[in-house]
Amino acid sequence: MSETATPPTKKATRAGNYFISNYPPFSFWSSNQEEEVRSAYDSAPIPGTPLGLYHHIPFCRRRCHFCYFRVYTDKNGQEIRDYLDHTITELERLAAKPLVAGRKPHFIYFGGGTPSYLSGRQLTDLTDRMKAILPWDEAEEVAFECEPGTLTAGKLAAIKEIGVTRLSLGIENFDDRILEINGRAHRSKEVWKAFERARAEEFDQINIDLIAGMLEETEENWQKNIEQVLKLAPDSITIYQMEIPYNTTIYKDMKESGALVAPVAGWETKRRWVKEAFAELEANGYTISSGYTAVKNPERTKFIYRDSLWGGADLVGLGVASFSHVQGVHYQNLTEIDDYVDALDSEKMPVKRAFRTNEEERMIREFILQMKLGHVQADYFRNKFEINILERFSRPLEELTEERLLEVVDDAIVLSRDGLLCVDNLLHDFFLEHHKTDRIV
């Protein structure tokens, strides 16, 4: 019997979000905050703050059973063109605001959904229009998410031509049965074809995504996944531990059956699998660069989007349900395409919810996000926030040190491998008391 069949209840995977991507938690953001967002865009930028763009492409061939993002599988060509036109309208309006006017993006990220769902012609037209509004000539990174089954040779050539430097392939697993059970649209043969074609285009960096603990994943399957990764030898590997957010197909099935425990591997198993993968990758020359990522050459292989965002960059999000962080204001766009389009047609900002942070909250946000890298320099926070984090967080740091999950070394916090693998669970210890909650979205 697979180890995934009956994980102990205490350590089982239950429904909910575990991955921490922002602070304060999304559940504290509120609606009717359009004026806060307007105020942020009407402000002058803080000197030295990088600017990034995020563009949400919410279209997919299929909806994965574990997916909790805003995606659509039923839109026709005209509806897609209309959506893309509206994202350009949104960018034109924001680019004219004092916060953005005259700045050039340091990084650009296309996420989804499936950005590679678009045709080569659509991508070229979209990015030409974006560049005409905010030129990309000073961008250090253009990152682009792909589903392997959408990548023809022509599509990849177009993606390279528009300026993409970091191509990310959502492989998740190499076993066709597991891909099918989890609702993935691609199959393993498409993975190899896509990777070979991407290598031929000579992208600066190719990342592949895996998920540890998918439905019906076993010890044997996980070991085979590691072997296949080593054969591909990508520049970067990102491994997520399976979680079951409330708006996924898996959770809906759990709710209908009355199940409290998700039918996937328990947390101890998932962490062990990632630990084993990291060890194998290190043995083959990779460096662990975060709680999720291994890179072949840390001097050459960077992730500018992540590092800039975790260091307080301004991020302008475009499209339905996209997230932004500007001048200390977090906000998310409206989460249905029709509402998003209607707001723009009415010359309104398509804002669903927002939260204006104070300086303490911004400090905590950067601290907890940088903890995911496995090391945090105290000097950074002294210089930027005039605070000694070793004193500010002395109690949780002492407790986690006793548990051997981290240590303080030469004015830096360094997580152990075990600490890094459960880092999202540790971060709540550093939240302000009134932000501690089980419901983070």
Side-chain angles (χ1 to χ4, degrees):
M1 180 178 289
S2 161
E3 186 172 345
T4 66
T6 54
T9 303
K10 183 178 179 182
K11 298 171 183 176
T13 300
R14 295 173 178 269
N17 292 78
Y18 291 81
F19 186 86
I20 305 294
S21 60
N22 214 332
Y23 182 83
F26 300 115
S27 55
F28 291 91
W29 302 16
S30 57
S31 58
N32 301 316
Q33 295 292 309
E34 185 177 334
E35 285 308 311
E36 287 286 7
V37 179
R38 286 188 183 278
S39 175
Y41 278 105
D42 287 339
S43 303
I46 297 173
T49 303
L51 174 68
L53 289 180
Y54 173 89
H55 195 296
H56 190 64
I57 308 293
F59 311 112
C60 292
R61 294 196 293 164
R62 291 179 65 181
R63 183 181 181 88
C64 304
H65 298 322
F66 53 83
C67 177
Y68 58 95
F69 296 107
R70 170 57 62 203
V71 299
Y72 297 89
T73 59
D74 60 348
K75 300 300 181 184
N76 61 38
Q78 181 55 50
E79 290 172 315
I80 291 173
R81 285 192 294 274
D82 184 59
Y83 170 76
L84 297 177
D85 287 344
H86 279 83
T87 66
I88 292 298
T89 297
E90 183 181 16
L91 178 58
E92 287 174 335
R93 293 176 184 172
L94 296 178
K97 298 291 186 181
L99 181 67
V100 183
R103 298 169 74 184
K104 293 183 178 181
H106 179 58
F107 59 94
I108 300 100
Y109 192 101
F110 290 89
T114 308
S116 59
Y117 184 89
L118 300 182
S119 70
R121 180 175 295 181
Q122 286 173 323
L123 287 170
T124 299
D125 177 66
L126 173 66
T127 54
D128 282 350
R129 295 165 75 187
M130 291 175 69
K131 292 171 188 176
I133 300 167
L134 287 182
W136 294 4
D137 55 298
E138 294 180 12
E140 192 171 344
E141 176 184 89
V142 181
F144 193 94
E145 295 179 355
C146 302
E147 186 251 284
T150 62
L151 294 177
T152 62
K155 178 81 66 69
L156 277 164
I159 293 170
K160 180 67 185 299
E161 182 64 26
I162 66 175
V164 169
T165 60
R166 186 181 194 270
L167 192 78
S168 189
L169 301 178
I171 294 173
E172 322 310 359
N173 197 289
F174 289 88
D175 184 275
D176 285 347
R177 181 172 176 275
I178 290 178
L179 291 170
E180 172 64 31
I181 290 168
N182 286 271
R184 294 293 292 171
H186 74 275
R187 296 295 177 263
S188 56
K189 287 183 179 179
E190 294 170 308
V191 167
W192 292 95
K193 287 180 181 178
F195 191 86
E196 289 168 2
R197 289 167 176 166
R199 273 285 184 243
E201 289 294 336
E202 298 183 341
F203 287 93
D204 291 356
Q205 180 186 162
I206 299 176
N207 171 76
I208 67 171
D209 287 349
L210 293 182
I211 298 177
M214 298 178 80
L215 290 170
E216 297 203 15
E217 189 160 32
T218 64
E219 296 279 352
E220 181 182 6
N221 169 257
W222 184 248
Q223 291 305 316
K224 287 182 178 178
N225 282 328
I226 299 172
E227 292 169 8
Q228 298 298 325
V229 167
L230 293 173
K231 287 179 182 178
L232 286 180
D235 304 294
S236 172
I237 303 99
T238 303
I239 306 176
Y240 297 103
Q241 298 176 42
M242 184 78 150
E243 59 179 353
I244 311 296
Y246 293 107
N247 60 339
T248 60
T249 304
I250 297 173
Y251 174 68
K252 290 176 183 176
D253 291 343
M254 289 172 60
K255 190 174 181 181
E256 289 177 3
S257 67
L260 296 176
V261 175
V264 301
W267 287 105
E268 281 194 348
T269 298
K270 289 182 288 192
R271 287 166 188 154
R272 176 171 55 79
W273 284 351
V274 178
K275 189 174 186 177
E276 290 168 356
F278 279 179
E280 282 292 317
L281 289 164
E282 285 180 312
N284 284 270
Y286 284 83
T287 298
I288 308 307
S289 61
S290 80
Y292 326 97
T293 312
V295 297
K296 188 182 292 184
N297 183 342
E299 294 302 316
R300 180 179 178 275
T301 306
K302 308 293 185 182
F303 192 6
I304 305 301
Y305 166 81
R306 177 197 67 194
D307 294 343
S308 298
L309 197 57
W310 292 2
D314 285 332
L315 178 70
V316 175
L318 306 172
V320 63
S322 64
F323 288 93
S324 300
H325 173 77
V326 290
Q327 283 286 73
V329 175
H330 302 318
Y331 73 93
Q332 183 186 22
N333 275 354
L334 293 165
T335 54
E336 295 290 347
I337 279 187
D338 290 345
D339 295 337
Y340 170 78
V341 167
D342 289 347
L344 288 167
D345 285 346
S346 302
E347 298 192 357
K348 297 178 181 177
M349 297 192 79
V351 177
K352 178 180 176 63
R353 56 179 178 171
F355 188 100
R356 177 177 285 280
T357 60
N358 59 36
E359 183 159 336
E360 182 180 32
E361 290 162 340
R362 290 191 290 276
M363 180 275 294
I364 294 173
R365 174 182 182 267
E366 291 192 32
F367 174 77
I368 64 173
L369 293 176
Q370 290 178 34
M371 283 277 282
K372 291 166 168 272
L373 299 173
H375 51 84
V376 180
Q377 298 295 328
D379 250 5
Y380 172 89
F381 289 88
R382 288 194 193 96
N383 294 333
K384 184 168 185 178
F385 296 100
E386 297 182 350
I387 191 166
N388 185 332
I389 57 171
L390 303 180
E391 294 178 357
R392 171 68 169 76
F393 298 121
S394 60
R395 180 173 294 180
L397 289 174
E398 287 173 7
E399 292 173 352
L400 294 173
T401 298
E402 290 176 4
E403 295 176 41
R404 299 184 179 179
L405 296 173
L406 59 76
E407 60 180 335
V408 177
V409 181
D410 296 332
D411 206 40
I413 299 166
V414 181
L415 276 74
S416 66
R417 180 58 49 85
D418 287 339
L420 194 58
L421 293 173
C422 66
V423 63
D424 288 282
N425 282 356
L426 309 184
L427 301 180
H428 296 266
D429 292 347
F430 303 94
F431 286 16
L432 291 173
E433 203 61 38
H434 58 277
H435 287 149
K436 293 181 178 179
T437 175
D438 291 332
R439 194 85 184 224
I440 62 174
V441 297

